[in-house]
Amino acid sequence: MWTINDFPAYGMVSGWSTHGKLACPYCMENNKAFTLTNGGKASFFYCNRRFLSPNHRYRKNMKDFFVGRVEKDVAPSRLSGEELLDVVSEYGDIVFGLQSGKQKFSSFGLTHNWVKRSIFWELPYWKTNLLRHNLDVMHIEKNMFENIFNTVMDVKGKTKDNIKARLNVVLSCNRKNMELVCDGSRVAKPKASFVLEKNAQLLVYKWLKSLRFPDGHVSNISRLVNTEECRLYGMKSHNCHVFMQTLIPLAFRDLFPKGIWDALMEISHFLEIYAPAS
């Protein structure tokens, strides 16, 4: 009927590479991703507003999103299964095996991200499926948990709020309070509103250490907490699943400003609706 996998495996089974600026298998070459000046990673920061309604107030907001840009484009149209089959059939076959070497279709990464024609297209009904590939929510929740938790808890080496991110903020956003401060030979990184103070971080870890759950609901998270080092170790996918849907609204409710907590609450609520716990 369809495949269920994480995003890297999506590229393997679909034939559309999920790396680089053309990673999105729906927008394909019609997205607005760009390469970050500092870090060199692909960013989809400017791709979301085109999916809003034409009269949405965020479309004309030139301050809180990409500085000086108004979004007038509409969401890109999605190709049907028949149209996708016509496109992928134009590319030749990739030779697999030890003797194949590195093979790429021309204009790869510029006008398309096709790396092969998936064997699933040989199924007679594949082109008529409305949904061919699904993303495993557990993998998504684990990635979201690690990015959010490591950032708000300012975990060294794992936070997304690093020096390169602050340098990119200067180029794309209107966040004066987030810009690096140079003091002679030293560079200081002002504390962000979404990062907890050390004493607040310790409160969260102590709270996690004291948690008890019903049998079979989740593993014993308290064993994964090190309050002396202020670290959380060995979180499995199901632990992250429970944390994202159940614990995030509780863990940070009284520690963050309302705007930050509301954003975390909306993420948790979204996952609870579209990825309910089994």
Side-chain angles (χ1 to χ4, degrees):
M1 293 173 64
W2 48 63
T3 69
I4 303 176
N5 37 255
D6 61 4
F7 201 50
Y10 192 116
M12 298 172 63
V13 298
S14 69
W16 179 273
S17 174
T18 52
H19 299 281
K21 292 188 291 185
L22 304 183
C24 178
Y26 287 104
C27 296
M28 307 183 89
E29 70 275 9
N30 297 315
N31 70 56
K32 292 188 173 184
F34 61 96
T35 301
L36 294 172
T37 303
N38 300 282
K41 293 185 177 180
S43 173
F44 294 81
F45 172 64
Y46 191 55
C47 298
N48 56 339
R49 287 195 291 172
R50 63 196 305 199
F51 291 91
L52 299 173
S53 58
N55 58 346
H56 200 285
R57 62 188 178 90
Y58 283 171
R59 282 182 170 269
K60 297 182 179 180
N61 191 324
M62 294 188 292
K63 178 182 177 182
D64 297 327
F65 297 94
F66 216 115
V67 174
R69 295 193 186 182
V70 174
E71 182 57 77
K72 297 180 180 179
D73 293 342
V74 297
S77 58
R78 291 174 54 179
L79 298 179
S80 65
E82 290 83 357
E83 291 171 328
L84 276 176
L85 179 57
D86 291 340
V87 170
V88 77
S89 296
E90 296 178 0
Y91 298 97
D93 293 329
I94 287 287
V95 178
F96 295 96
L98 297 177
Q99 306 301 322
S100 63
K102 292 185 178 181
Q103 304 172 75
K104 286 186 178 180
F105 298 128
S106 61
S107 300
F108 173 81
L110 300 175
T111 60
H112 72 88
N113 252 24
W114 292 112
V115 294
K116 67 179 180 180
R117 183 175 60 190
S118 173
I119 195 173
F120 286 108
W121 289 110
E122 296 182 15
L123 296 172
Y125 60 84
W126 197 247
K127 65 180 180 181
T128 63
N129 280 2
L130 296 178
L131 183 63
R132 288 172 292 277
H133 305 286
N134 296 267
L135 291 175
D136 181 5
V137 177
M138 284 290 190
H139 281 87
I140 296 173
E141 286 181 316
K142 188 174 191 300
N143 291 336
M144 292 179 67
F145 164 77
E146 291 176 348
N147 290 335
I148 291 175
F149 189 84
N150 291 334
T151 298
V152 301
M153 302 297 281
D154 198 23
V155 178
K156 186 177 181 180
K158 294 186 177 182
T159 176
K160 295 299 181 181
D161 182 32
N162 51 37
I163 298 297
K164 291 181 179 179
R166 293 296 182 96
L167 292 174
N168 287 320
V169 165
V170 177
L171 301 175
S172 304
C173 308
N174 182 25
R175 302 284 191 277
K176 297 297 182 182
N177 60 323
M178 297 280 288
E179 296 180 6
L180 298 175
V181 178
C182 296
D183 182 14
S185 60
R186 298 181 58 186
V187 177
K189 186 178 72 172
K191 179 183 171 297
S193 58
F194 51 78
V195 175
L196 292 177
E197 299 283 359
K198 291 295 183 181
N199 58 343
Q201 295 176 23
L202 184 59
L203 287 175
V204 173
Y205 286 116
K206 287 183 177 180
W207 178 73
L208 290 173
K209 190 73 174 178
S210 67
L211 286 180
R212 298 294 182 270
F213 296 96
D215 289 342
H217 180 68
V218 68
S219 65
N220 191 351
I221 293 181
S222 63
R223 295 180 180 177
L224 311 178
V225 181
N226 187 325
T227 54
E228 294 180 359
E229 298 181 7
C230 285
R231 293 293 294 269
L232 191 60
Y233 298 97
M235 288 285 285
K236 302 300 183 182
S237 295
H238 188 70
N239 298 334
C240 298
H241 168 75
V242 173
F243 198 103
M244 290 299 298
Q245 295 193 17
T246 306
L247 302 183
I248 269 192
L250 303 174
F252 304 120
R253 180 171 184 175
D254 297 325
L255 302 177
F256 276 126
K258 184 178 184 302
I260 304 297
W261 184 81
D262 285 345
L264 294 175
M265 185 64 188
E266 287 186 23
I267 294 174
S268 176
H269 186 55
F270 175 86
L271 293 172
E272 189 176 2
I273 293 176
Y274 293 99
S278 57

